[in-house]
Amino acid sequence: MPNAPAPNDLTGALNPVLEVNEQRLKHIFNSADLRFLTISVPGQSRVLLVYIDGLVDKDPLDQAIMQPLQAEMQPESGGQQNVSLGALLEVRLGAVAEVKRVQKLSDLVEGVLKGNAALLVDGENQAVLAGFQGTEKRTIEEPSAELSVRGPRDGFTEDVRTNTSLIRRRIRSEKLKIESLTLGELTKTDIVIAYMDGIAKESVLEEVRRRLRQIEIDGVLESGYIEEFIEDVPWSPFPQIQNTERPDVVCSSLLEGKVAILVDNTPFVLIAPMTFWSGLQAVEDYYERAIYTTGLRWIRFALLNVSLLLPSLFVALTTYHQQLIPTNLLISIAAAREGVPFPTVIETLLMEFMFEGLREAGIRLPKPIGSAISIVGALVIGQAAVQAGIVSASVVIIVATTGISSFAIPRYNLGTAFRLLRFPMLILAGILGLYGVIAGIFLILIHLLGLRSFGVPYLEPVSPSNFENLKDVWVRAPRWSMYRRPVLTNGGNSRRMSGGRRPGPKRGGGMG
């Protein structure tokens, strides 16, 4: 037997001696779920079958490998008689599975860890990897975090290939490109970049590739790991990369020239670049009629301002600017605050903190009791606090209204940003009054104006302004009038359709 390399050394090629390869694999893995099976092929040689139990589907493995190996393996009639057993196995398995020949031990180990079955033939320094992956998968279900009244009901799963197929079902074009890479020194997680060739901007696409290639980490368990590495401003409260569980949202973003990043083992797909306005667009905005969507967007923008500014405006007005409050309302607020021991700003901060605590508790608890605990807890604590004279009824109303308004923001991570910004706005209002509120608004606007996502301004198309793209910001224009893609994300193919033309009734109103 030739000299064998160190057992745990992954460098170098496979050894022609079957026992040497087997011992090296046993030392490398040293795991109870690794299966070794040596089969003597009649008239040929010995074959070592290696796979990880639980990652391989055993039924097709038995039908495609075990049974043919236990029978006599001979080349097809008319074929050459000097074909090696490894080459013969590759030909036979290629009809039922994805097959790959490897010579390096590191490639063999990586292939087994990905769920392939490895076949090593005695006397050959190559191995055959056959794809018989058979891990348990979650069925395709409706996303629980992005519900819609109208629209598709399927959502992404934890399997990246299932997710790419859901995109392919909607975009049946050769222009849809899929690129793969692996991240994570230990997890070796599959990452997929999806984009539309000729529509995605090349500079944005190349920047996505560059940032992903520069990631050096031992493990990637969820797309959030990737998001934190590639976002432009990590300390900004505003999300710069959109995440979604819905294939229709990803497909619509791809058709606008954006890039999607799919990560294995998570249903959340990243979309870049992201703008502030895309965070305020709900799923069914594009499935309902334009006039309905426009009205709902105005309500959504109003509630967004309420969720950010209502508590701070209440504190500023009741503390420093009582002359701006109508007399009857001021008397009512003063009567409700009689006996309350805290200043208005402390009172409001206390109630906001309790409201956020109840919301978090409702999320962490099991679903059957989470919603009940959060609602009942808010009612009981609020009522008890008012009766005890710790807080006033007006503050409870303000905090409850603010909390309800924050639920109108479609994207959870954008809503979280405004939930966090409420607290510094409250402190500014408690110190400087309306001047503090105005200063806080200006600071937020300055930050948003300087924020970028993969080179695209965060407030585009409002700043820099683009009239054509404003049709999908404050309002949602009819689909037939939105005939151009966003300017700063498309790579030259800007037209969706012939501009401004739509089929309709003949002049005169009739169909005949």
Side-chain angles (χ1 to χ4, degrees), residues 304-320:
L304 172 69
N305 291 318
V306 168
S307 69
L308 176 66
L309 300 176
L310 183 59
S312 55
L313 286 175
F314 176 80
V315 169
L317 292 176
T318 55
T319 305
Y320 295 101

Side-chain angles (χ1 to χ4, degrees), residues 57-68:
D57 193 344
K58 293 183 180 179
D59 290 337
L61 181 69
D62 180 66
Q63 296 173 6
I65 296 180
M66 301 294 294
Q67 295 177 7

Side-chain angles (χ1 to χ4, degrees), residues 36 38 59 96 120 127 184 219 261 264 288 336 342:
F36 293 90
T38 303
D59 290 337
V96 294
L120 297 90
I261 303 170
D264 200 15
E288 295 288 355
F342 303 111

Side-chain angles (χ1 to χ4, degrees), residues 425-436:
M425 291 291 291
L426 271 172
I427 295 173
L428 286 173
I431 297 174
L432 300 174
L434 283 179
Y435 298 105

Side-chain angles (χ1 to χ4, degrees), residues 125-136:
N125 61 350
Q126 292 183 335
V128 178
L129 293 176
F132 290 102
Q133 292 88 344
T135 55
E136 294 294 329

Side-chain angles (χ1 to χ4, degrees), residues 236-255:
S236 172
F238 294 96
Q240 297 132 64
I241 300 175
Q242 184 178 341
N243 64 77
T244 181
E245 289 184 86
R246 300 186 62 97
D248 54 334
V249 173
V250 171
C251 292
S252 64
S253 300
L254 293 177
L255 293 174

Side-chain angles (χ1 to χ4, degrees), residues 68-102:
L69 282 178
Q70 291 170 353
E72 185 172 357
M73 294 273 296
Q74 294 293 343
E76 300 292 341
S77 60
Q80 298 188 8
Q81 299 299 314
N82 58 352
V83 178
S84 67
L85 180 57
L88 184 58
L89 284 170
E90 183 179 8
V91 173
R92 295 286 180 90
L93 294 175
V96 294
E98 184 179 350
V99 178
K100 181 181 179 182
R101 292 284 290 271
V102 295

Side-chain angles (χ1 to χ4, degrees), residues 139-362:
T139 58
I140 297 175
E141 302 170 348
E142 183 178 5
S144 58
E146 294 178 81
L147 299 175
S148 64
V149 177
R150 180 176 178 178
R153 302 299 184 193
D154 56 342
F156 289 124
T157 69
E158 285 74 17
D159 182 66
V160 70
R161 290 307 164 196
T162 301
N163 297 340
T164 55
S165 68
L166 290 174
I167 298 175
R168 286 282 186 190
R169 282 176 53 188
R170 288 169 167 84
I171 304 179
R172 300 174 181 177
S173 171
E174 74 283 356
K175 294 184 179 295
L176 174 59
K177 305 300 181 182
I178 303 291
E179 297 180 4
S180 296
L181 67 151
T182 302
L183 291 179
E185 183 180 350
L186 299 179
T187 60
K188 300 190 186 319
T189 307
D190 291 328
I191 312 294
V192 168
I193 303 173
Y195 63 94
M196 296 298 295
D197 188 27
I199 297 179
K201 199 170 185 178
E202 188 60 35
S203 59
V204 173
L205 180 59
E206 189 54 41
E207 183 66 15
V208 171
R209 293 184 184 127
R210 185 188 68 83
R211 295 187 190 185
L212 288 175
R213 285 195 299 263
Q214 289 183 345
I215 296 176
E216 296 181 2
I217 188 174
D218 58 352
V220 176
L221 302 180
E222 211 274 338
S223 57
Y225 286 50
I226 304 295
E227 181 177 357
E228 289 195 48
F229 273 99
I230 64 176
E231 61 186 352
D232 290 62
V233 185
W235 299 111
S236 172
F238 294 96
Q240 297 132 64
I241 300 175
Q242 184 178 341
N243 64 77
T244 181
E245 289 184 86
R246 300 186 62 97
D248 54 334
V249 173
V250 171
C251 292
S252 64
S253 300
L254 293 177
L255 293 174
E256 288 184 348
K258 298 182 180 180
V259 180
I261 303 170
L262 294 82
V263 181
D264 200 15
N265 300 316
T266 176
F268 288 93
V269 174
L270 304 179
I271 301 173
M274 176 186 178
T275 65
F276 178 80
W277 313 108
S278 61
L280 295 174
Q281 295 167 353
V283 176
E284 61 264 27
D285 281 4
Y286 302 94
Y287 301 139
E288 295 288 355
R289 296 181 62 210
I291 189 170
Y292 302 157
T293 299
T294 298
L296 291 175
R297 280 192 179 178
W298 290 348
I299 295 173
R300 205 176 295 148
F301 289 139
L303 293 176
L304 172 69
N305 291 318
V306 168
S307 69
L308 176 66
L309 300 176
L310 183 59
S312 55
L313 286 175
F314 176 80
V315 169
L317 292 176
T318 55
T319 305
Y320 295 101
H321 310 283
Q322 295 91 345
Q323 69 274 14
L324 298 178
I325 304 175
T327 304
N328 292 336
L329 179 59
L330 182 61
I331 294 172
S332 176
I333 294 174
R337 281 193 45 79
E338 187 177 358
V340 176
F342 303 111
T344 305
V345 61
I346 301 299
E347 181 186 3
T348 310
L349 281 171
L350 178 63
M351 287 304 299
E352 282 286 354
F353 180 79
M354 289 303 301
F355 188 90
E356 294 298 331
L358 286 169
R359 178 187 291 187
E360 285 299 308

